[in-house]
Amino acid sequence: MLYSCGVVYTLPTVTSSCRQFHTPLFKKHPIQLLPLKTLKPKFTCSASIDDAGPPRNWEKWLPKNLFSAEKVLKSISEATSSPICQFISSPITFLHTVDPRIKLAWLVVLVVLPARSHILMRFGLVAYLSLLSILILPRHVWMDQLGRVSLLSGILFIMLGLGADGAPPVVQLRTPPPSMMGLPSLPASLEGYSYIIMKLGPLQLTRKGLSVASTSASLTFSIFQSASLCLSTTTPEQLAFALQWYMRPLAYIGVPVAEVILTLLLSLRFINLVFDEVRVVALGIVSRRIYWEKFTALETIEVFFTYIRRIFNNIFSHAEQISQAMNVRGFRGDSNTHNIYFSSLSSNSMANILSIMCLVCLVGAAAVSDCFV
Amino acid sequence: MNITASLGTSAPHLPPLHSSPPLRPNGTESFAIEIQNVKFSVKTKQKKLVHILEDCSIQIPSGQFWMLLGPNGCGKSTLLKILAGLLSPTDGFMYVKKPKSFVFQNPDHQVVMPTVEADVAFGLGKYRFTPEQIRCRVAKALDAVGMYEYLRRPVQTLSGGQKQRVAIAGALAEECKVLLLDELTTFLDETDQIGVIKAVKKSLASSDDVTALWVTHRLEELEYADGAVYMEDGRVIMHGDASTIMEFIEDRKNSYIRKINA
């Protein structure tokens, strides 16, 4: 192995007055002498196994600019301005005609059930939600939604299933073995019971792992997919109406229900403006074609702070204008005296009855399955 | 060439104030909007008084579609906000028929609810209407601007022109007598621009005795108006029928071009 070290004075052009030394040591890296005022010394060190060629440029294999300011802003500016899971007004499906209050009840049940029911029930719920999504939503919507949610749930299932019993004993329940407590050892199962279901190298899928994984994955799937289904088939105003109906008793204990509902509706409208503002200001910065490589880290951070400040300024300006518009349109600051018209979309009584019956059946089935856990 | 900007540079040579606004077809002199010697000033942080509007006088007959023209910064929007009641004049007489509605330049500021239907109905919240009455008014207003099929569409899925028409429908739903429209076509392309103007014209035609005052700095929109007011430097320079204002502006434009070429 040959180690070489040299001093190279680099300049774009070399004048004819330069003298070059060709010594055996510096044969490959000759020293060029140039006027000292114009030279900047640059030290280069290299190592090679043999002296067959120039040192290999291994740096090019290293990933660069994985997280650059330009990439971040560009990805923001190219993002869609519409939030995910917005209301799909047509075609009008069975779920569109179900009363929003029943849909909210379904949502609550679908959040609670996966945690409190048998494993078969959990997987049944996942299958039911998937089937409903496929039947109700347009093809490109359900493919996108189910793809994302299944991926997330799948990752959770694998990680928790294989890792649940890999957690250190400190965080696990410490129950002394029966022999220490003077109890007889548990008899071996006659029915072929085994705590470990599957072994995969150092990892193992146990009954506890399966239970934790199935609960978490199906809970995640149920929450995301039921919310997606509900938002895709219910307008924000209908949801607000349902929430107001459930919250109405709270008004007797002084909860400002009307104000909460109006704030919710304004937030649902305003969130799009915020998305738009974030996107447009990022586009404004990207279109300036800033040469980010010239910036120091502090300067880049400064640009980002300017970006955030600008977003907030614009959002506050929007808020001021919207409040002025509300004033012009007759809102005098009292949510109780200003009626909000929620929607003219009437629910179908048959669809409502069917939904309630299915809900009752589901809760009943879950209660029965709970006995088998 | 920016016509409105160039007009602003030749302010000293002004023709006298046109004092004969066109009358309504039935010949009566009922005005939906009437202001006399309206002034508006603001105080700066340095306690300096800045005059925005000076001695503005206009009379707009009922049931007509008028435009308020002028270069940027001449006080058109300020005058409109005074008419809407968003600003109080420093001095002068003002009368605007009620109920009146104001539509903002940026539809994103006007549309406050997430869905078209709920937004159009928002202005009706101050009245004690039944849901059926609200439904009828919303349907009528959306039909007038050609947006009925978008009844349940989320607002963010609409184009700029469609949002602007929803904003106009919101004003129409209140069955107002005076519509004050602030540069509605600023953010729109030519197709949407014409679509919005036609929507306003159609809604005026379908309603009885509704007056609209439209602020703009686009001269090509003048052909749709029954009358117009031309402003410069916070003063009303001329008001009358649309063709007179158009001729006046064309004369000013030609004299300016001659001045440049001389």
Side-chain angles (χ1 to χ4, degrees):
Chain A
M1 184 182 287
L2 175 73
Y3 292 93
S4 65
C5 188
V7 181
V8 181
Y9 292 90
T10 53
L11 262 187
T13 54
V14 179
T15 59
S16 58
S17 62
C18 294
R19 287 180 296 153
Q20 291 189 356
F21 291 92
H22 295 279
T23 60
L25 182 62
F26 299 116
K27 199 174 181 180
K28 291 210 174 283
H29 305 286
I31 295 172
Q32 300 171 348
L33 293 180
L34 287 169
L36 285 174
K37 281 182 183 175
T38 59
L39 295 177
K40 284 183 180 176
K42 182 182 172 186
F43 292 89
T44 57
C45 291
S46 62
S48 60
I49 292 168
D50 51 20
D51 200 19
R56 282 173 193 158
N57 190 8
W58 54 269
E59 282 180 350
K60 70 180 177 185
W61 299 106
L62 291 176
K64 284 178 184 172
N65 292 330
L66 272 178
F67 188 74
S68 69
E70 193 177 5
K71 277 187 178 175
V72 171
L73 287 169
K74 208 173 172 186
S75 59
I76 293 171
S77 67
E78 285 169 357
T80 173
S81 61
S82 305
I84 305 158
C85 301
Q86 66 183 10
F87 175 66
I88 300 167
S89 54
S90 68
I92 292 177
T93 61
F94 169 77
L95 277 187
H96 283 81
T97 59
V98 175
D99 193 290
R101 290 166 290 189
I102 301 172
K103 285 186 210 171
L104 273 194
W106 264 97
L107 274 184
V108 173
V109 167
L110 286 171
V111 169
V112 174
L113 277 193
R116 301 291 311 155
S117 55
H118 192 259
I119 186 166
L120 289 177
M121 194 74 198
R122 287 174 213 154
F123 288 131
L125 276 178
V126 169
Y128 162 73
L129 278 173
S130 307
L131 195 68
L132 200 62
S133 305
I134 292 166
L135 290 175
I136 296 292
L137 299 175
R139 185 183 160 85
H140 66 279
V141 178
W142 69 255
M143 281 188 79
D144 183 52
Q145 283 185 4
L146 284 183
R148 286 165 198 258
V149 178
S150 303
L151 181 72
L152 179 69
S153 306
I155 291 170
L156 261 178
F157 185 85
I158 293 167
M159 285 178 70
L160 289 171
L162 297 176
D165 264 351
V170 182
V171 295
Q172 290 190 9
L173 185 68
R174 293 184 189 182
T175 309
S179 55
M180 283 184 72
M181 296 169 75
L183 297 170
S185 294
L186 289 169
S189 172
L190 299 171
E191 295 171 359
Y193 173 85
S194 168
Y195 180 65
I196 296 168
I197 297 168
M198 193 178 75
K199 270 206 159 197
L200 201 72
L203 304 167
Q204 56 185 15
L205 179 67
T206 59
R207 286 184 181 271
K208 180 183 167 186
L210 181 66
S211 175
V212 171
S214 65
T215 307
S216 307
S218 56
L219 191 63
T220 308
F221 189 93
S222 302
I223 289 171
F224 278 101
Q225 200 49 37
S226 57
S228 297
L229 267 172
C230 186
L231 290 171
S232 307
T233 55
T234 321
T235 61
E237 286 84 7
Q238 284 178 314
L239 278 177
F241 163 72
L243 204 62
Q244 190 187 41
W245 190 81
Y246 282 114
M247 285 177 74
R248 201 167 285 161
L250 297 176
Y252 295 111
I253 55 167
V255 176
V257 175
E259 208 170 318
V260 168
I261 296 302
L262 182 65
T263 309
L264 172 73
L265 281 171
L266 288 174
S267 310
L268 288 169
R269 166 73 185 107
F270 205 66
I271 201 163
N272 301 305
L273 292 179
V274 174
F275 277 138
D276 268 347
E277 210 52 60
V278 169
R279 196 171 53 87
V280 168
V281 179
L283 190 65
I285 296 174
V286 170
S287 64
R288 303 285 174 97
R289 299 189 67 80
I290 296 168
Y291 195 37
W292 293 98
E293 286 81 4
K294 292 267 184 188
F295 277 21
T296 60
L298 269 178
E299 283 167 339
T300 308
I301 290 166
E302 199 182 328
V303 172
F304 266 89
F305 271 107
T306 311
Y307 170 58
I308 291 162
R309 200 170 59 227
R310 183 66 192 270
I311 289 169
F312 273 97
N313 276 341
N314 291 1
I315 287 170
F316 286 133
S317 166
H318 273 303
E320 194 185 335
Q321 295 284 338
I322 286 174
S323 65
Q324 205 175 36
M326 286 174 70
N327 204 9
V328 164
R329 296 182 72 183
F331 182 71
R332 296 286 172 265
D334 186 2
S335 312
N336 291 308
T337 55
H338 195 98
N339 297 325
I340 301 293
Y341 180 68
F342 291 106
S343 177
S344 64
L345 196 67
S346 54
S347 59
N348 184 323
S349 53
M350 276 306 291
N352 292 342
I353 292 166
L354 196 65
S355 300
I356 292 171
M357 280 171 65
C358 287
L359 188 63
V360 171
C361 290
L362 184 71
V363 173
V368 172
S369 76
D370 205 23
C371 303
F372 297 107
V373 177
Chain B
M1 188 179 68
N2 187 345
I3 296 167
T4 52
S6 65
L7 287 169
T9 57
S10 53
H13 310 287
L14 303 173
L17 186 72
H18 197 291
S19 57
S20 57
L23 299 174
R24 291 180 70 198
N26 59 11
T28 60
E29 283 195 13
S30 60
F31 297 110
I33 299 170
E34 190 173 2
I35 58 168
Q36 295 290 339
N37 303 321
V38 164
K39 292 177 183 176
F40 182 70
S41 313
V42 288
K43 263 189 183 173
T44 61
K45 282 179 184 172
Q46 292 80 30
K47 306 284 178 192
K48 195 182 159 190
L49 201 66
V50 177
H51 300 289
I52 311 291
L53 296 177
E54 289 190 62
D55 291 327
C56 291
S57 303
I58 55 172
Q59 289 175 323
I60 296 174
S62 292
Q64 292 197 1
F65 180 39
W66 276 53
M67 288 197 175
L68 188 54
L69 291 141
N72 289 336
C74 71
K76 303 183 296 288
S77 293
T78 308
L79 180 58
L80 203 73
K81 282 181 181 173
I82 286 173
L83 293 173
L86 289 172
L87 298 171
S88 300
T90 317
D91 195 14
F93 165 77
M94 186 179 85
Y95 167 74
V96 183
K97 254 188 191 174
K98 285 184 180 175
K100 57 190 175 185
S101 286
F102 185 91
V103 182
F104 284 79
Q105 184 179 15
N106 187 347
D108 277 332
H109 297 157
Q110 179 93 11
V111 180
V112 293
M113 288 284 120
T115 311
V116 170
E117 186 184 25
D119 182 78
V120 174
F122 182 79
L124 303 175
K126 57 180 177 280
Y127 306 111
R128 296 283 161 214
F129 288 136
T130 60
E132 193 52 45
Q133 284 173 317
I134 293 175
R135 193 176 301 153
C136 284
R137 281 194 176 216
V138 168
K140 198 177 157 192
L142 280 173
D143 190 47
V145 295
M147 289 288 290
Y148 184 70
E149 62 268 33
Y150 295 88
L151 192 71
R152 289 186 194 96
R153 278 279 288 271
V155 168
Q156 75 268 14
T157 61
L158 303 179
S159 71
Q162 287 170 335
K163 275 186 210 168
Q164 201 63 274
R165 279 190 265 171
V166 169
I168 295 167
L172 291 175
E174 293 183 51
E175 294 188 354
C176 52
K177 291 289 175 196
V178 174
L179 262 177
L180 302 164
L181 312 156
D182 189 9
E183 297 195 39
L184 301 194
T185 53
T186 303
F187 302 128
L188 308 183
D189 62 12
E190 201 180 345
T191 317
D192 273 344
Q193 178 195 356
I194 302 301
V196 169
I197 295 173
K198 284 186 175 170
V200 172
K201 286 284 281 181
K202 189 186 164 194
S203 56
L204 290 187
S206 61
S207 321
D208 296 330
D209 207 25
V210 178
T211 310
L213 180 59
W214 172 289
V215 169
T216 185
H217 53 253
R218 291 186 176 184
L219 284 183
E220 69 271 18
E221 291 174 359
L222 204 54
E223 65 176 281
Y224 297 93
D226 300 316
V229 178
Y230 182 72
M231 286 183 71
E232 262 183 23
D233 296 330
R235 291 172 189 276
V236 174
I237 303 302
M238 190 177 186
H239 78 294
D241 58 278
S243 57
T244 312
I245 299 289
M246 182 63 102
E247 277 172 25
F248 166 70
I249 293 170
E250 286 295 332
D251 286 346
R252 299 281 296 269
K253 191 173 78 178
N254 292 335
S255 70
Y256 179 76
I257 291 168
R258 276 197 300 275
K259 199 174 157 186
I260 289 174
N261 293 335

